[in-house]
Amino acid sequence: MPSYDSAHCRFRLAKDHLTLLSHLAGGVPLPAGYGTTAAELQSSGLVSEAGEVSVQLVPLLETLAEPVVAIGAEVIGQQGTLNHGLVIGQEHVFSHESWPGESEVEYAQVEPKLLVWSLARLVNLRQSDALDVGVPCIETTIGVMDAGLTALGSGAPSADGGTPERIQQALAEAGDLTEPALSLFSYLLLELRVHWRVTSAWHGQDDTQPTVAVRGFGIWDCGPLGYWSRESPAEPVHEGQVGPDSPLVLRPVGSKPVWEMLADLLPEEEEIRRTA
């Protein structure tokens, strides 16, 4: 069910709710099959019986309709993939945050000066120093990583106690990693808590035609082994762009550089093409 928290200026809305709201706000005829959605919005007080959208929703709908910068955080963990992010408009900024197993997304208004703080919260950035692990980085391929992940899921650790050795064997057979990188990479896969990809996009400056500028980065959160920056494949990664032979480069990184990477996602004023 959609809902509104006036104390924190936040909403819980599903995709169907937003579709119907955008039609109502724009005066466009409603598509068929949205009777239940309309009843839910009316029950929550976000839409009147006459089809008028609540004034509290106007800043959110305006921001979603005409974003200046959109930042997406794809968070991949044990419960699947969750999509969070920020939408920066001309006047307002809203975060959006998913919840495992729920269709509704929470949209909350964000103070512009707290943009980076909000991004850090969405990816659960915690205080951490880069570990001294004896190698500057791990260099291998996506295919080797896939072999290690397959080995990780191929048995019950409590039954044989040999999970690290099983992963190491799979990695050694799939590629040419040597010690200490071989053992280290096996433990990175074993400790991998969550993998997140963060990208920002905006309409860039171009004298001849409109362009969309994009930049981003990927991070592995390996728990006690800290954060690892996925330098290759470099973001943004498009569908079909990466295969088994694609290079995989992981470098240990502390939370301070990650914070700076989050801040660098925000374009400078002169980078953004302003429309009339």
Side-chain angles (χ1 to χ4, degrees):
M1 283 289 292
S3 56
Y4 171 55
D5 177 6
S6 60
H8 295 87
C9 195
R10 57 183 180 174
F11 306 84
R12 285 178 60 87
L13 299 165
K15 183 178 180 179
D16 284 352
H17 300 137
L18 285 175
T19 299
L20 190 145
L21 287 168
S22 65
H23 279 73
L24 290 174
V28 180
L30 297 181
Y34 280 79
T36 300
T37 304
E40 291 176 345
L41 288 169
Q42 290 174 359
S43 177
S44 65
L46 294 174
V47 172
S48 70
E49 292 185 4
E52 298 171 333
V53 176
S54 170
V55 67
Q56 284 88 356
L57 275 167
V58 172
L60 172 62
L61 296 178
E62 289 180 346
T63 302
L64 294 177
E66 296 185 3
V68 176
V69 181
I71 302 177
E74 182 184 72
V75 179
I76 306 168
Q78 293 182 350
Q79 294 178 294
T81 300
L82 296 175
N83 292 290
H84 312 311
L86 292 175
V87 183
I88 304 171
Q90 296 285 359
E91 302 293 336
H92 306 283
V93 179
F94 281 87
S95 67
H96 57 90
E97 190 169 2
S98 302
W99 187 269
E102 298 289 337
S103 61
E104 283 87 9
V105 174
E106 181 176 295
Y107 295 86
Q109 192 162 359
V110 173
E111 172 63 35
K113 292 182 179 180
L114 299 179
L115 280 174
V116 183
W117 285 100
S118 298
L119 270 176
R121 186 189 64 80
L122 290 176
V123 296
N124 193 31
L125 182 64
R126 64 183 188 280
Q127 184 67 35
S128 174
D129 295 325
L131 297 185
D132 183 2
V133 291
V135 296
C137 64
I138 299 290
E139 294 186 74
T140 182
T141 65
I142 295 296
V144 172
M145 177 195 71
D146 288 341
L149 292 174
T150 299
L152 177 62
S154 65
S158 59
D160 59 20
T163 299
E165 292 75 15
R166 187 169 63 246
I167 298 174
Q168 288 178 32
Q169 181 179 355
L171 295 176
E173 293 174 353
D176 56 1
L177 277 174
T178 58
E179 296 294 352
L182 178 62
S183 294
L184 176 59
F185 191 42
S186 68
Y187 280 99
L188 288 183
L189 294 176
L190 190 63
E191 297 290 350
L192 180 59
R193 306 283 181 83
V194 63
H195 170 210
W196 34 276
R197 308 166 54 200
V198 189
T199 57
S200 61
W202 63 91
H203 292 291
Q205 296 282 9
D206 191 297
D207 293 334
T208 59
Q209 61 182 1
T211 62
V212 176
V214 181
R215 59 177 173 242
F217 62 93
I219 293 288
W220 283 22
D221 179 352
C222 295
L225 295 180
Y227 292 116
W228 289 71
S229 173
R230 178 172 53 74
E231 296 183 351
S232 180
E235 293 293 340
V237 176
H238 303 289
E239 185 177 355
Q241 185 178 348
V242 174
D245 295 329
S246 299
L248 174 67
V249 179
L250 298 165
R251 190 178 304 276
V253 64
S255 55
K256 182 178 179 180
V258 176
W259 176 276
E260 293 170 349
M261 293 161 74
L262 289 171
D264 288 341
L265 290 173
L266 300 171
E268 299 294 337
E269 185 73 20
E270 59 270 16
E271 295 182 86
I272 301 174
R273 179 174 59 86
R274 296 294 181 179
T275 57

Short mmCIF file of all heavy atoms in Angstrom, two decimals, residues 64 69-75 82-88 93-98 105-110 115 118-123 197-200 265:
data_model
loop_
_atom_site.label_atom_id
_atom_site.label_comp_id
_atom_site.label_asym_id
_atom_site.label_seq_id
_atom_site.Cartn_x
_atom_site.Cartn_y
_atom_site.Cartn_z
N LEU A 64 10.98 13.84 -10.57
CA LEU A 64 11.08 12.61 -11.37
C LEU A 64 10.81 12.89 -12.85
O LEU A 64 11.37 12.23 -13.72
CB LEU A 64 10.09 11.57 -10.85
CG LEU A 64 10.34 11.01 -9.45
CD1 LEU A 64 9.23 10.04 -9.06
CD2 LEU A 64 11.69 10.33 -9.37
N VAL A 69 20.13 15.50 -12.72
CA VAL A 69 21.13 14.44 -12.55
C VAL A 69 20.43 13.24 -11.91
O VAL A 69 19.66 13.40 -10.96
CB VAL A 69 22.31 14.88 -11.66
CG1 VAL A 69 23.33 13.75 -11.52
CG2 VAL A 69 22.98 16.13 -12.22
N ALA A 70 20.69 12.05 -12.43
CA ALA A 70 20.16 10.82 -11.84
C ALA A 70 21.33 9.93 -11.44
O ALA A 70 22.23 9.67 -12.24
CB ALA A 70 19.27 10.08 -12.83
N ILE A 71 21.33 9.51 -10.19
CA ILE A 71 22.40 8.64 -9.67
C ILE A 71 21.76 7.33 -9.23
O ILE A 71 20.83 7.32 -8.42
CB ILE A 71 23.12 9.29 -8.48
CG1 ILE A 71 23.72 10.63 -8.89
CG2 ILE A 71 24.23 8.36 -7.97
CD1 ILE A 71 24.40 11.38 -7.77
N GLY A 72 22.25 6.23 -9.79
CA GLY A 72 21.72 4.92 -9.46
C GLY A 72 22.75 4.08 -8.73
O GLY A 72 23.93 4.08 -9.09
N ALA A 73 22.30 3.38 -7.70
CA ALA A 73 23.16 2.46 -6.94
C ALA A 73 22.55 1.07 -7.01
O ALA A 73 21.52 0.82 -6.39
CB ALA A 73 23.30 2.92 -5.50
N GLU A 74 23.16 0.20 -7.79
CA GLU A 74 22.72 -1.18 -7.91
C GLU A 74 23.48 -2.01 -6.88
O GLU A 74 24.69 -2.16 -6.97
CB GLU A 74 22.97 -1.71 -9.31
CG GLU A 74 22.48 -3.13 -9.53
CD GLU A 74 22.82 -3.65 -10.90
OE1 GLU A 74 24.02 -3.93 -11.14
OE2 GLU A 74 21.92 -3.79 -11.74
N VAL A 75 22.77 -2.52 -5.89
CA VAL A 75 23.39 -3.22 -4.77
C VAL A 75 23.04 -4.70 -4.88
O VAL A 75 21.87 -5.08 -4.81
CB VAL A 75 22.90 -2.65 -3.42
CG1 VAL A 75 23.54 -3.39 -2.26
CG2 VAL A 75 23.24 -1.15 -3.34
N LEU A 82 19.10 -4.93 -5.39
CA LEU A 82 18.26 -3.81 -5.00
C LEU A 82 18.75 -2.56 -5.71
O LEU A 82 19.96 -2.37 -5.87
CB LEU A 82 18.30 -3.60 -3.49
CG LEU A 82 17.73 -4.72 -2.62
CD1 LEU A 82 17.95 -4.41 -1.15
CD2 LEU A 82 16.25 -4.93 -2.91
N ASN A 83 17.81 -1.73 -6.13
CA ASN A 83 18.16 -0.50 -6.83
C ASN A 83 17.79 0.71 -6.00
O ASN A 83 16.62 0.92 -5.67
CB ASN A 83 17.46 -0.45 -8.19
CG ASN A 83 17.99 -1.50 -9.16
OD1 ASN A 83 19.11 -1.41 -9.63
ND2 ASN A 83 17.19 -2.51 -9.43
N HIS A 84 18.80 1.47 -5.63
CA HIS A 84 18.62 2.70 -4.87
C HIS A 84 19.11 3.88 -5.73
O HIS A 84 19.56 3.69 -6.86
CB HIS A 84 19.39 2.66 -3.56
CG HIS A 84 19.22 1.41 -2.76
ND1 HIS A 84 17.98 0.88 -2.49
CD2 HIS A 84 20.13 0.56 -2.20
CE1 HIS A 84 18.11 -0.23 -1.76
NE2 HIS A 84 19.41 -0.44 -1.58
N GLY A 85 19.07 5.07 -5.18
CA GLY A 85 19.64 6.19 -5.92
C GLY A 85 19.14 7.54 -5.46
O GLY A 85 18.40 7.68 -4.48
N LEU A 86 19.57 8.55 -6.20
CA LEU A 86 19.18 9.94 -5.98
C LEU A 86 18.71 10.54 -7.30
O LEU A 86 19.28 10.24 -8.36
CB LEU A 86 20.35 10.78 -5.46
CG LEU A 86 20.88 10.51 -4.05
CD1 LEU A 86 22.12 11.36 -3.81
CD2 LEU A 86 19.83 10.83 -3.01
N VAL A 87 17.70 11.37 -7.23
CA VAL A 87 17.24 12.14 -8.39
C VAL A 87 17.33 13.61 -8.02
O VAL A 87 16.68 14.07 -7.07
CB VAL A 87 15.79 11.77 -8.79
CG1 VAL A 87 15.39 12.54 -10.04
CG2 VAL A 87 15.66 10.28 -9.02
N ILE A 88 18.14 14.33 -8.77
CA ILE A 88 18.38 15.75 -8.50
C ILE A 88 17.62 16.58 -9.53
O ILE A 88 17.86 16.44 -10.74
CB ILE A 88 19.88 16.08 -8.56
CG1 ILE A 88 20.66 15.18 -7.59
CG2 ILE A 88 20.14 17.55 -8.25
CD1 ILE A 88 22.16 15.26 -7.74
N VAL A 93 15.67 17.53 -4.35
CA VAL A 93 16.43 16.29 -4.46
C VAL A 93 15.68 15.21 -3.69
O VAL A 93 15.24 15.44 -2.55
CB VAL A 93 17.85 16.43 -3.90
CG1 VAL A 93 18.60 15.09 -4.01
CG2 VAL A 93 18.61 17.53 -4.62
N PHE A 94 15.54 14.03 -4.29
CA PHE A 94 14.89 12.90 -3.62
C PHE A 94 15.77 11.66 -3.73
O PHE A 94 16.38 11.41 -4.78
CB PHE A 94 13.52 12.60 -4.24
CG PHE A 94 12.43 13.54 -3.79
CD1 PHE A 94 12.22 14.74 -4.46
CD2 PHE A 94 11.63 13.22 -2.71
CE1 PHE A 94 11.22 15.61 -4.04
CE2 PHE A 94 10.63 14.08 -2.28
CZ PHE A 94 10.42 15.28 -2.95
N SER A 95 15.83 10.92 -2.65
CA SER A 95 16.45 9.61 -2.69
C SER A 95 15.36 8.57 -2.94
O SER A 95 14.20 8.80 -2.63
CB SER A 95 17.18 9.30 -1.38
OG SER A 95 16.26 9.17 -0.31
N HIS A 96 15.75 7.44 -3.51
CA HIS A 96 14.81 6.32 -3.62
C HIS A 96 15.53 5.06 -3.15
O HIS A 96 16.70 4.82 -3.48
CB HIS A 96 14.25 6.17 -5.03
CG HIS A 96 15.27 5.99 -6.11
ND1 HIS A 96 15.73 4.74 -6.51
CD2 HIS A 96 15.91 6.90 -6.89
CE1 HIS A 96 16.61 4.90 -7.48
NE2 HIS A 96 16.74 6.19 -7.74
N GLU A 97 14.82 4.28 -2.35
CA GLU A 97 15.43 3.13 -1.69
C GLU A 97 14.47 1.95 -1.73
O GLU A 97 13.33 2.04 -1.30
CB GLU A 97 15.77 3.50 -0.25
CG GLU A 97 16.61 2.49 0.47
CD GLU A 97 17.12 3.04 1.80
OE1 GLU A 97 16.77 4.18 2.16
OE2 GLU A 97 17.87 2.31 2.48
N SER A 98 14.97 0.82 -2.25
CA SER A 98 14.17 -0.40 -2.33
C SER A 98 14.35 -1.22 -1.06
O SER A 98 15.26 -1.01 -0.27
CB SER A 98 14.59 -1.23 -3.55
OG SER A 98 14.46 -0.49 -4.74
N VAL A 105 8.76 1.42 -3.24
CA VAL A 105 10.06 2.06 -3.08
C VAL A 105 9.86 3.28 -2.19
O VAL A 105 8.85 3.99 -2.31
CB VAL A 105 10.63 2.48 -4.44
CG1 VAL A 105 11.92 3.28 -4.28
CG2 VAL A 105 10.87 1.26 -5.31
N GLU A 106 10.80 3.52 -1.28
CA GLU A 106 10.70 4.69 -0.42
C GLU A 106 11.39 5.88 -1.08
O GLU A 106 12.57 5.81 -1.42
CB GLU A 106 11.33 4.42 0.95
CG GLU A 106 11.22 5.63 1.88
CD GLU A 106 11.76 5.35 3.27
OE1 GLU A 106 11.15 4.51 3.97
OE2 GLU A 106 12.78 5.96 3.63
N TYR A 107 10.65 6.96 -1.25
CA TYR A 107 11.18 8.21 -1.79
C TYR A 107 11.23 9.22 -0.65
O TYR A 107 10.22 9.45 0.02
CB TYR A 107 10.30 8.73 -2.92
CG TYR A 107 10.27 7.84 -4.13
CD1 TYR A 107 9.36 6.78 -4.21
CD2 TYR A 107 11.14 8.04 -5.20
CE1 TYR A 107 9.33 5.95 -5.33
CE2 TYR A 107 11.11 7.21 -6.31
CZ TYR A 107 10.20 6.17 -6.36
OH TYR A 107 10.18 5.35 -7.46
N ALA A 108 12.39 9.82 -0.43
CA ALA A 108 12.54 10.78 0.66
C ALA A 108 13.25 12.03 0.17
O ALA A 108 14.22 11.94 -0.60
CB ALA A 108 13.32 10.15 1.82
N GLN A 109 12.76 13.18 0.59
CA GLN A 109 13.40 14.43 0.19
C GLN A 109 14.72 14.59 0.93
O GLN A 109 14.84 14.28 2.11
CB GLN A 109 12.48 15.62 0.49
CG GLN A 109 12.96 16.92 -0.16
CD GLN A 109 11.86 17.96 -0.24
OE1 GLN A 109 10.73 17.72 0.17
NE2 GLN A 109 12.19 19.12 -0.77
N VAL A 110 15.73 15.04 0.19
CA VAL A 110 17.09 15.15 0.70
C VAL A 110 17.54 16.61 0.65
O VAL A 110 17.31 17.31 -0.34
CB VAL A 110 18.05 14.27 -0.13
CG1 VAL A 110 19.51 14.50 0.27
CG2 VAL A 110 17.70 12.80 0.01
N LEU A 115 23.95 15.54 -0.06
CA LEU A 115 23.88 14.58 -1.15
C LEU A 115 24.84 13.41 -0.96
O LEU A 115 24.46 12.25 -1.09
CB LEU A 115 24.19 15.28 -2.48
CG LEU A 115 23.07 16.08 -3.13
CD1 LEU A 115 23.59 16.83 -4.34
CD2 LEU A 115 21.94 15.16 -3.54
N SER A 118 23.88 11.14 1.82
CA SER A 118 22.75 10.29 1.44
C SER A 118 23.21 9.12 0.58
O SER A 118 22.76 7.98 0.75
CB SER A 118 21.70 11.10 0.70
OG SER A 118 21.18 12.12 1.53
N LEU A 119 24.12 9.39 -0.36
CA LEU A 119 24.66 8.32 -1.19
C LEU A 119 25.41 7.29 -0.36
O LEU A 119 25.28 6.08 -0.55
CB LEU A 119 25.60 8.91 -2.25
CG LEU A 119 25.00 9.32 -3.58
CD1 LEU A 119 26.06 9.97 -4.46
CD2 LEU A 119 24.38 8.13 -4.28
N ALA A 120 26.21 7.79 0.58
CA ALA A 120 26.98 6.88 1.44
C ALA A 120 26.05 5.99 2.26
O ALA A 120 26.34 4.81 2.47
CB ALA A 120 27.88 7.69 2.37
N ARG A 121 24.93 6.54 2.70
CA ARG A 121 23.98 5.74 3.47
C ARG A 121 23.32 4.68 2.59
O ARG A 121 23.11 3.54 3.02
CB ARG A 121 22.91 6.64 4.09
CG ARG A 121 21.96 5.91 5.04
CD ARG A 121 20.80 6.79 5.44
NE ARG A 121 19.96 7.15 4.31
CZ ARG A 121 19.03 6.35 3.81
NH1 ARG A 121 18.83 5.14 4.30
NH2 ARG A 121 18.29 6.74 2.79
N LEU A 122 23.02 5.03 1.35
CA LEU A 122 22.35 4.09 0.45
C LEU A 122 23.21 2.86 0.16
O LEU A 122 22.68 1.77 -0.06
CB LEU A 122 21.98 4.78 -0.87
CG LEU A 122 20.86 5.82 -0.81
CD1 LEU A 122 20.68 6.48 -2.16
CD2 LEU A 122 19.55 5.20 -0.34
N VAL A 123 24.53 3.02 0.16
CA VAL A 123 25.42 1.88 -0.09
C VAL A 123 26.03 1.36 1.22
O VAL A 123 26.90 0.48 1.20
CB VAL A 123 26.54 2.26 -1.08
CG1 VAL A 123 25.95 2.60 -2.44
CG2 VAL A 123 27.40 3.40 -0.56
N ARG A 197 27.35 -1.10 -7.66
CA ARG A 197 27.72 -0.30 -8.82
C ARG A 197 26.96 1.02 -8.72
O ARG A 197 25.74 1.03 -8.57
CB ARG A 197 27.33 -1.01 -10.12
CG ARG A 197 27.83 -2.43 -10.25
CD ARG A 197 27.12 -3.15 -11.39
NE ARG A 197 27.23 -2.42 -12.66
CZ ARG A 197 26.42 -2.59 -13.68
NH1 ARG A 197 25.41 -3.44 -13.60
NH2 ARG A 197 26.58 -1.91 -14.79
N VAL A 198 27.69 2.11 -8.79
CA VAL A 198 27.06 3.43 -8.69
C VAL A 198 27.38 4.22 -9.95
O VAL A 198 28.54 4.33 -10.36
CB VAL A 198 27.56 4.20 -7.46
CG1 VAL A 198 26.74 5.47 -7.25
CG2 VAL A 198 27.50 3.33 -6.21
N THR A 199 26.35 4.76 -10.60
CA THR A 199 26.54 5.54 -11.81
C THR A 199 25.71 6.81 -11.74
O THR A 199 24.62 6.83 -11.15
CB THR A 199 26.13 4.75 -13.07
OG1 THR A 199 24.77 4.33 -12.94
CG2 THR A 199 27.01 3.53 -13.27
N SER A 200 26.22 7.86 -12.33
CA SER A 200 25.47 9.12 -12.45
C SER A 200 25.33 9.47 -13.92
O SER A 200 26.20 9.15 -14.74
CB SER A 200 26.18 10.25 -11.69
OG SER A 200 27.47 10.48 -12.22
N LEU A 265 30.94 11.74 -8.44
CA LEU A 265 29.83 11.40 -9.32
C LEU A 265 28.99 12.63 -9.66
O LEU A 265 28.28 12.64 -10.68
CB LEU A 265 28.92 10.36 -8.67
CG LEU A 265 29.49 8.94 -8.51
CD1 LEU A 265 28.53 8.09 -7.69
CD2 LEU A 265 29.73 8.30 -9.87
#
